[in-house]
Amino acid sequence: MIEKTYQPAQIEGRIYAAWERAGAFRAGRSERSAAAPYCIVIPPPNVTGSLHMGHALNNTLQDILCRFERMRGKDVLWQPGTDHAGIATQMVVERQLMERNLPGRRELGREKFLERVWQWKAESGGAIVNQLKRLGASCDWSRERFTMDEGLSRAVVKVFVQLYRAGLIYKDKRLVNWDPKLLTAISDLEVVQIETKGHLWHLRYPLEGRSFDPDDPSTFIVVATTRPETMLGDVAVAVHPEDERYKAYVEAFRAGRPARVILPLVGRRIPIIADEYSDPEKGSGAVKITPAHDFNDFEVGKRHGLPQINIFGTDARLALKGNAEFLAGVPASGELDETLGLHGVERFAARKQIVARLKERGLVAKVEPHTHAVPHGDRSNVVIEPFLTDQWYVDARKLAQPAIAAVRAGKTRFVPQNWENTYFNWMENIQPWCISRQLWWGHQIPAWYGPDGAVFVAESEAEARAAAQRHYGRTTELTRDEDVLDTWFSSALWPFSTLGWPDSTPELDRYYPTNVLVTGFDIIFFWVARMMMMGLHVMRQVPFRDVYIHALVRDERGQKMSKSKGNVIDPLALIDQYGADALRFTLAAMAAQGRDIKLSTQRVEGYRNFATKLWNAARFAELNECTVAPGFRPEAAEETLNRWIAHEVAKVAREVTRSLEAYRFNDAAGALYRFVWNVYCDWYLELAKPLLAGPDGRVKQETRAMVAWVRDIVLKLLHPFMPFVTEELWAVTASAAVPGGASARDSLLALASWPDLGGFEDQAAEAEIGWVVDLVTAVRSLRAEMNVAAPIPMVLAGASAKTQTRAARWADVIKRLARISDISSAASPPSGAVQLIVRGDIVALPLKGIVDLVAEQARLAREMQKADADIARVDAKLGNANFLARAPEEVIEEEKEKRAEALARKARIAEALERLKGAA
């Protein structure tokens, strides 16, 4: 018996437990041993994470695909797992130690600290797995992996050693994003650019051989900087080769006799060089070059063979005393001694002192307010420093070539295809990949150093010691590299390491390459590209055939969700309030390719109502004894209404299937919504009521069976989108009308077969019932437009005999649903009648005397003027270049939506006016 009210909270946990007991999501089920494999690897969430809306969208789309293909009979593996999240996890455990007044990381030492991290992971880590289950994720949890588990750790070490021996991993001194609080290099993805109000200092650098005079521009050159403290590491001033103002300096540089400036506060003589990096349109056109503290300057320095002078320590305090690079070639002076007194001063405090000294000496030409993007660590919230340090790197340029070629050859395709351009742009301009991190939690780099710095990279310490024995000819003490690998290194191996590599496993043979990767555009470079590189290098095959890139979930105004804005929507709160199915269907229905999702709680509530509609339809079927009939053959139905609904459900099944195959989730969800709400519930069940209430016999029996059969097809089609409510209804409608109440189900819905409905096309039934539906819809629409409440007559003008017969057959239904008082036929429309065209037939509604036609025309004319005014107002905004340049993207999109709505309103009004012209 179906409960009166649909209560998601009461069924979801119970349903998921039933799936798990039955092993419904396990790959390699015995009955599917000969089935085609289908595999998706989950983008591994951080072990510290909790479900956010991006996870909800990403995993809903993956689950839809996995449930769809599972029902299509494939052997599905949705491979789950979590990422060890080096920085995030280390921070969580360090914070926990502090809160409990326990010794900190350094006091504990590496071994004891890592024991605490594993303890935390066992007790609290991975909460997101249970949250994914609440969403309905049908992963094979028996195969759950962790990037630090024994198997994946072995894979990471093996790949590192392989790449090192192939010359594709090496150690180098380069600039990295350095977090002065966490004391580690971080990836670009962990850097947040924050708009900051600062200053632009224009500084005078005295020319060598001239007597500096702040009032004489011939004695100095002006450079501008937002970070005056870094000037202590300047090694050159650059001007553009084509800048006429600096022609003499360019010629001197090209002749090998560059002019020089004397670096203020230091005394270092540095050259004026010519390089296209300098922008003649900005400031003075001259820029200071500090290769050790700016990524662009680093490249300029490499081009010109300039020295790299690092003036900071790891904590972003000035490190000047004993700094050989800083002091090289600098003559002793009192000014230098004063500068050396800044040793150990924090960078921003040093900035103030440096600027004050420069002002005292007349070296500050001007100071301007300047708003610019300043990089911050996403976890530490401190300003990130470009920092020169020794790190381990992957030669990404070499690894990228096969990955680029694979996409160009179509071995892997992006959906939507335009993301290929982003992929190619990044891959073709790829830089060395910094893979080392100064952390303790992570995969420790398998490199050991001898006393003279010789490095031994090996899969084990014993192997490294054996190599050292051969190298030195004796047993030698080795020290292991303390750094760990970037978490993106281990996740780059995810598609094959989770399947058992480096062992040759049956799963690896069966499920690799995987079928599709579902992910966000923001990690195409960080994850997708790196998986492509590693998959091709290690496995010699692409890791996935398709990459589906989904958009962002924004708030209802189109703004990106953030805690600072206070507009974050918690998916778990929505699940608590409306149920997982409602949230899932909302996300799927709005997941149009290439378009961000504007999410509101009202949308989710609307789809909760859709689930309720489905529930009530199933209750209606139960109350009318519509059960699965043994031996029922829907293709043999005789009633026109039943043949029509079989035709319609087959049509929507084809549409949903095609849409899911093409990753058009919103099209599939939209088709289902329209069919279930409109076609099945509002039309078929409504039109079937007289048949179900009629006398027992063939017609009633057939209609009952057809109602139940279509309901079951609907449950199957909706299951990938709304798994909980459909599985529950599948279970509670299982009792068939057979002796003993035997079950009409031979499996859970999650394992039922996907509908393949060929042979149900029936154009004759569609023509008849479709005509009735279109007629009633058109009359209802006109009533709403003209606010007509009373029953009205209807005249079929010049209708064929077939149409008249059809109208007579469905007269009772038409009168009841369209509130028609009388149906008649005439050669032409009567005077004062509004005309409708329904599938080529003229349907006239005499409204003279019922509606003031003149007044109605005037009202519609006023509405038309309003619509035109709205369109003009939006067009003025969208035609304003200044507005388009300044307005946020979400505001522009909102204006475009207003225009589209006004145009649609105008079209409806024009149609209504046209009808009234014929009636006047």
Side-chain angles (χ1 to χ4, degrees):
M1 184 75 176
I2 301 175
E3 295 292 332
K4 184 176 180 180
T5 308
Y6 166 54
Q7 300 285 357
Q10 294 179 10
I11 69 168
E12 290 179 354
R14 171 168 49 78
I15 290 292
Y16 203 94
W19 287 328
E20 292 206 290
R21 281 196 306 273
F25 310 143
R26 281 182 179 257
R29 295 175 64 89
S30 57
E31 73 274 13
R32 301 194 181 204
S33 58
Y38 184 85
C39 182
I40 295 179
V41 291
I42 199 171
N46 286 352
V47 71
T48 58
S50 60
L51 193 73
H52 57 61
M53 203 54 76
H55 290 135
L57 171 64
N58 180 268
N59 287 279
T60 292
L61 299 183
Q62 290 177 81
D63 193 50
I64 288 170
L65 292 173
C66 287
R67 289 181 183 271
F68 170 59
E69 296 294 358
R70 195 178 287 118
M71 293 178 76
R72 294 219 287 181
K74 293 182 182 175
D75 176 19
V76 173
L77 169 58
W78 185 8
Q79 175 63 56
T82 50
D83 187 276
H84 62 278
I87 293 176
T89 303
Q90 185 160 310
M91 285 182 68
V92 165
V93 177
E94 287 196 79
R95 192 182 307 121
Q96 187 183 77
L97 292 172
M98 183 177 66
E99 289 169 352
R100 297 179 181 180
N101 293 317
L102 294 171
R105 173 165 67 101
R106 298 289 178 188
E107 291 79 11
L108 281 175
R110 187 173 195 133
E111 187 177 342
K112 291 293 183 184
F113 177 75
L114 292 179
E115 285 178 8
R116 294 293 305 219
V117 178
W118 280 108
Q119 181 183 335
W120 172 87
K121 197 264 180 185
E123 294 171 357
S124 309
I128 195 168
V129 168
N130 290 323
Q131 293 168 350
L132 288 171
K133 290 181 179 181
R134 288 199 61 195
L135 187 67
S138 62
C139 301
D140 184 349
W141 298 109
S142 69
R143 294 187 50 82
E144 185 182 347
R145 302 302 299 269
F146 178 53
T147 48
M148 286 285 286
D149 70 29
E150 183 181 351
L152 267 69
S153 296
R154 193 156 52 91
V156 166
V157 169
K158 192 171 188 70
V159 170
F160 185 97
V161 173
Q162 281 185 2
L163 291 173
Y164 177 79
R165 290 175 180 169
L168 295 169
I169 282 183
Y170 57 93
K171 205 164 189 183
D172 195 10
K173 186 183 287 290
R174 294 177 61 90
L175 281 192
V176 296
N177 294 309
W178 185 264
D179 190 311
K181 181 177 179 181
L182 300 177
L183 303 181
T184 180
I186 62 175
S187 74
D188 289 345
L189 195 64
E190 293 156 330
V191 176
V192 180
Q193 300 291 341
I194 297 177
E195 284 292 312
T196 306
K197 291 182 178 179
H199 296 88
L200 188 63
W201 286 270
H202 296 257
L203 309 178
R204 300 182 178 105
Y205 280 19
L207 288 162
E208 186 180 34
R210 307 276 181 90
S211 179
F212 173 68
D213 180 351
D215 296 321
D216 182 359
S218 68
T219 66
F220 58 83
I221 191 168
V222 174
V223 299
T225 180
T226 58
R227 304 169 66 215
E229 66 279 11
T230 64
M231 65 170 290
L232 303 182
D234 284 359
V235 297
V237 169
V239 297
H240 195 278
E242 306 301 324
D243 193 331
E244 285 296 319
R245 293 172 295 179
Y246 301 115
K247 185 177 180 181
Y249 296 136
V250 172
E251 290 175 350
F253 171 73
R254 286 173 173 167
R257 300 186 302 275
R260 297 181 183 276
V261 297
I262 301 170
L263 185 64
L265 311 188
V266 177
R268 183 182 305 123
R269 271 62 175 164
I270 61 177
I272 299 174
I273 66 173
D275 193 279
E276 291 186 354
Y277 168 61
S278 177
D279 185 351
E281 303 298 320
K282 289 185 178 178
S284 67
V287 292
K288 59 193 281 302
I289 302 299
T290 317
H293 296 289
D294 182 277
F295 288 101
N296 291 314
D297 292 5
F298 181 80
E299 296 301 325
V300 174
K302 280 205 306 182
R303 285 197 290 273
H304 297 279
L306 299 171
Q308 301 166 339
I309 300 175
N310 187 354
I311 60 164
F312 288 133
T314 57
D315 56 357
R317 293 176 178 273
L318 291 184
L320 305 179
K321 291 180 179 177
N323 186 334
E325 287 82 8
F326 173 73
L327 295 169
V330 178
S333 68
E335 186 172 58
L336 175 63
D337 291 341
E338 189 177 349
T339 298
L340 289 172
L342 293 171
H343 180 83
V345 176
E346 189 274 332
R347 54 185 164 166
F348 298 120
R351 174 183 295 180
K352 292 179 180 179
Q353 293 186 44
I354 287 169
V355 169
R357 288 177 62 196
L358 290 169
K359 284 181 177 178
E360 286 174 7
R361 290 159 174 77
L363 294 168
V364 178
K366 63 178 177 177
V367 182
E368 296 176 316
H370 183 66
T371 300
H372 60 129
V374 177
H376 286 67
D378 68 340
R379 301 198 180 275
S380 64
N381 296 317
V382 301
V383 175
I384 295 303
E385 280 293 337
F387 190 64
L388 190 65
T389 178
D390 289 307
Q391 301 286 345
W392 287 93
Y393 289 90
V394 171
D395 187 344
R397 185 169 294 279
K398 283 187 181 176
L399 287 175
Q401 299 314 306
I404 292 169
V407 175
R408 292 207 184 279
K411 293 177 182 177
T412 292
R413 68 181 185 124
F414 281 79
V415 182
Q417 189 177 1
N418 62 287
W419 286 111
E420 287 183 3
N421 297 328
T422 302
Y423 173 82
F424 290 136
N425 183 52
W426 282 341
M427 294 291 269
E428 288 165 357
N429 295 283
I430 201 165
Q431 295 295 311
W433 171 18
C434 176
I435 55 171
S436 46
R437 299 290 181 264
Q438 290 62 57
L439 304 170
W440 285 357
W441 173 240
H443 297 102
Q444 192 170 356
I445 289 173
W448 287 261
Y449 300 98
D452 59 354
V455 62
F456 303 94
V457 171
E459 292 186 32
S460 67
E461 185 172 355
E463 188 181 331
R465 289 191 180 283
Q469 174 83 28
R470 292 191 296 272
H471 177 77
Y472 293 110
R474 65 182 187 281
T475 301
T476 307
E477 190 68 28
L478 298 179
T479 304
R480 185 167 184 178
D481 196 310
E482 290 195 350
D483 289 354
V484 300
L485 287 164
D486 173 17
T487 54
W488 292 106
F489 188 90
S490 51
S491 58
L493 318 182
W494 192 248
F496 54 90
S497 64
T498 53
L499 299 178
W501 190 90
D503 296 330
S504 181
T505 65
E507 292 84 0
L508 192 64
D509 183 58
R510 181 160 176 74
Y511 300 109
Y512 189 92
T514 66
N515 293 76
V516 60
L517 179 78
V518 179
T519 190
F521 65 87
D522 53 337
I523 55 174
I524 289 177
F525 173 67
F526 291 96
W527 194 42
V528 179
R530 288 167 178 173
M531 282 189 289
M532 286 288 288
M533 291 190 287
M534 292 300 192
L536 284 161
H537 182 80
V538 176
M539 301 296 295
R540 306 300 177 193
Q541 292 186 78
V542 294
F544 21 71
R545 306 296 187 197
D546 293 341
V547 179
Y548 175 78
I549 303 293
H550 61 72
L552 285 176
V553 184
R554 298 179 179 269
D555 71 8
E556 61 187 310
R557 294 177 57 83
Q559 295 186 336
K560 193 171 181 178
M561 293 185 195
S562 71
K563 290 179 182 177
S564 60
K565 291 179 183 175
N567 64 344
V568 173
I569 302 175
D570 180 1
L572 295 171
L574 292 178
I575 290 173
D576 287 339
Q577 189 170 2
Y578 301 112
D581 289 324
L583 174 59
R584 288 169 60 107
F585 201 89
T586 304
L587 293 170
M590 301 180 72
Q593 290 182 9
R595 191 185 309 159
D596 286 347
I597 292 172
K598 293 182 182 179
L599 186 66
S600 68
T601 54
Q602 290 83 0
R603 291 263 194 179
V604 184
E605 184 178 11
Y607 288 116
R608 192 274 311 275
N609 296 340
F610 174 58
T612 300
K613 182 88 168 178
L614 176 70
W615 186 269
N616 291 338
R619 287 192 74 243
F620 171 84
E622 183 181 69
L623 292 171
N624 283 276
E625 301 178 28
C626 302
T627 55
V628 177
F632 174 64
R633 295 177 60 243
E635 66 275 16
E638 297 179 23
E639 283 300 302
T640 302
L641 178 63
N642 292 331
R643 297 202 317 274
W644 170 74
I645 196 61
H647 168 94
E648 291 293 327
V649 77
K651 185 169 74 173
V652 79
R654 288 192 297 273
E655 186 176 353
V656 171
T657 301
R658 285 195 297 265
S659 296
L660 289 181
E661 287 173 340
Y663 307 110
R664 297 196 316 271
F665 298 96
N666 64 309
D667 289 344
L672 280 168
Y673 183 90
R674 290 188 297 274
F675 177 81
V676 174
W677 194 292
N678 301 119
V679 179
Y680 182 64
C681 294
D682 286 358
W683 288 112
Y684 177 63
L685 295 184
E686 188 64 37
L687 296 176
K689 281 179 181 177
L691 306 182
L692 295 171
D696 291 341
R698 182 197 59 79
V699 173
K700 188 173 189 175
Q701 184 180 354
E702 178 187 287
T703 304
R704 281 175 168 172
M706 184 61 79
V707 168
W709 179 77
V710 176
R711 176 205 61 206
D712 282 5
I713 299 299
V714 165
L715 294 179
K716 288 181 177 184
L717 294 174
L718 269 175
H719 180 73
F721 300 85
M722 308 180 88
F724 292 106
V725 66
T726 53
E727 189 75 75
E728 176 73 357
L729 289 173
W730 185 258
V732 296
T733 57
S735 177
V738 295
S743 175
R745 318 290 187 212
D746 56 8
S747 75
L748 289 165
L749 179 56
L751 296 172
S753 60
W754 185 255
D756 182 10
L757 305 179
F760 285 93
E761 189 170 335
D762 194 323
Q763 294 302 333
E766 196 284 327
E768 178 149 331
I769 305 301
W771 181 85
V772 174
V773 169
D774 288 355
L775 172 65
V776 172
T777 301
V779 174
R780 285 174 169 175
S781 178
L782 182 137
R783 282 181 170 282
E785 285 171 8
M786 299 188 178
N787 198 24
V788 178
I792 53 177
M794 184 176 82
V795 179
L796 300 174
S800 65
K802 181 190 265 188
T803 296
Q804 292 182 48
T805 302
R806 185 181 288 161
R809 190 158 49 238
W810 294 94
D812 290 344
V813 168
I814 294 169
K815 288 177 180 179
R816 175 166 56 91
L817 298 182
R819 300 202 68 203
I820 296 297
S821 58
D822 177 66
I823 301 174
S824 61
S825 297
S828 60
S831 173
V834 173
Q835 296 178 34
L836 303 172
I837 306 298
V838 179
R839 296 201 175 194
D841 292 322
I842 298 174
V843 177
L845 301 173
L847 295 180
K848 202 167 188 178
I850 299 173
V851 173
D852 185 335
L853 299 178
V854 175
E856 185 61 20
Q857 276 185 316
R859 183 186 71 81
L860 288 172
R862 289 193 299 272
E863 290 295 322
M864 180 67 84
Q865 288 176 344
K866 284 183 186 177
D868 283 334
D870 289 343
I871 293 167
R873 185 164 50 250
V874 175
D875 282 348
K877 281 187 177 181
L878 296 179
N880 185 331
N882 193 39
F883 170 77
L884 293 176
R886 293 175 178 272
E889 181 186 341
E890 59 268 18
V891 172
I892 294 171
E893 193 61 35
E894 192 175 333
E895 291 300 322
K896 289 179 179 177
E897 288 176 4
K898 286 179 184 177
R899 188 179 192 278
E901 190 279 329
L903 283 171
R905 184 157 35 97
K906 180 178 178 178
R908 291 194 299 270
I909 296 167
E911 191 178 338
L913 279 168
E914 192 62 33
R915 285 197 291 263
L916 279 176
K917 283 179 186 176

